[in-house]
Amino acid sequence: MKEVEEIIAYFEKNASEKNRLGMAHFGVNVDNAYGMTTPTIRVLAKDKRFKKNHELAIELWKTNKHEARLLAGMIADPKKMTGKLMEEWVLGFNSWDVCDCVCMSCFTYTKDAYEKALSWANRDEEYVRRAGFVIMAMYGLKKHAYLAVDYAPFWELMLKYSVDERNFVKKAINWALRQLGKRNEILNKKAIEIAELMLKFDSKSAKWIATDALRELRACKVHKVESL
């Protein structure tokens, strides 16, 4: 595809070893990375030739290039994203930034988002599990039409896997707990309850997730009614 060749050529021309080292410092997997900044990639994503070009996104993903996969996540069309393709892509996650970008820009807006969040959080692969909790975090940030009761499985999974000591998993659980807990008064109360339960676990990960989240959950201002 001509557009893929054009984009890869642009990445190669503007590659930066300094940026690659900086990315690695923040835990990004820089294998197959050119060192392009996220803002630069977002500019490409807004180009009318590429915006919501689902077919191009699929081809970019196949290149296995770090920045190409970030761009793929930004331009993929959630309405065209199938459950099968989501499964293929989630298995290709090898860095937290790619995981978060694809989930935040695309997966969260698919018809399968809720079920994938539950399914993936139960999976053992680090970035697959992270993806599940990133989608949960997005349910706190975006105006999804769910009532408080529909988040019950989220709380259960946060508790269950708060003992997972892997860095990118525990940080995603912490994120999900904080974001859902900041959405409204009802969810804030529940998030604090969940965090307090985590504090009782004999787990450094669970205690860190809870302690960090409670600082924000107890201090934030929240809506008194469910906001849909």
Side-chain angles (χ1 to χ4, degrees), residues 17-225:
E17 182 60 22
K18 180 180 179 180
N19 285 347
R20 286 184 77 255
L21 293 174
M23 291 160 60
H25 177 74
F26 288 102
V28 173
N29 183 340
V30 295
D31 293 346
N32 297 318
Y34 295 102
M36 302 292 295
T37 65
T38 300
T40 300
I41 299 172
R42 291 197 183 283
V43 170
L44 285 177
K46 294 177 181 179
D47 188 305
K48 63 181 181 180
R49 295 174 298 164
F50 311 141
K51 189 175 183 180
K52 288 295 176 278
N53 187 331
H54 195 67
E55 290 68 30
L56 175 58
I58 291 173
E59 294 306 312
L60 285 169
W61 189 266
K62 292 177 182 178
T63 68
N64 197 32
K65 299 298 183 180
H66 186 83
E67 287 82 357
R69 288 192 162 183
L70 287 172
L71 180 57
M74 294 175 190
I75 68 174
D77 187 344
K79 294 180 180 179
K80 295 181 179 179
M81 181 62 68
T82 65
K84 179 180 179 181
L85 190 59
M86 290 173 74
E87 291 294 337
E88 292 178 6
W89 281 26
V90 78
L91 288 176
F93 291 168
N94 66 350
S95 185
W96 67 265
D97 61 330
V98 174
C99 172
D100 294 4
C101 175
V102 175
C103 289
M104 294 172 67
S105 300
C106 180
F107 285 179
T108 300
Y109 302 99
T110 66
K111 60 181 178 58
D112 297 312
Y114 185 87
E115 293 303 324
K116 292 300 184 185
L118 301 182
S119 172
W120 290 345
N122 272 306
R123 294 263 290 275
D124 188 58
E125 303 98 318
E126 183 172 11
Y127 291 110
V128 176
R129 181 168 292 171
R130 179 181 175 88
F133 287 110
V134 170
I135 293 175
M136 292 181 202
M138 293 300 291
Y139 274 74
L141 287 165
K142 304 299 180 182
K143 294 185 180 298
H144 287 277
Y146 282 88
L147 299 175
V149 66
D150 295 305
Y151 295 106
F154 290 2
W155 306 124
E156 293 173 7
L157 288 165
M158 288 180 208
L159 277 174
K160 181 177 181 179
Y161 293 112
S162 64
V163 298
D164 190 326
E165 300 289 338
R166 291 176 294 183
N167 187 49
F168 296 120
V169 172
K170 70 180 183 181
K171 286 189 174 181
I173 295 173
N174 170 269
W175 186 16
L177 183 62
R178 288 185 291 108
Q179 291 307 139
L180 285 173
K182 290 189 295 182
R183 179 163 176 167
N184 60 55
E185 188 178 39
I186 295 173
L187 295 180
N188 180 261
K189 182 179 179 180
K190 185 63 178 181
I192 290 175
E193 176 188 327
I194 295 299
E196 289 176 340
L197 287 174
M198 289 180 184
L199 285 176
K200 299 178 182 179
F201 292 177
D202 183 20
S203 163
K204 290 182 179 179
S205 175
K207 291 182 185 302
W208 176 83
I209 291 169
T211 301
D212 182 78
L214 283 170
R215 281 195 292 268
E216 189 169 347
L217 292 170
R218 287 171 172 162
C220 67
K221 294 182 180 180
V222 292
H223 298 294
K224 291 185 179 299
V225 293

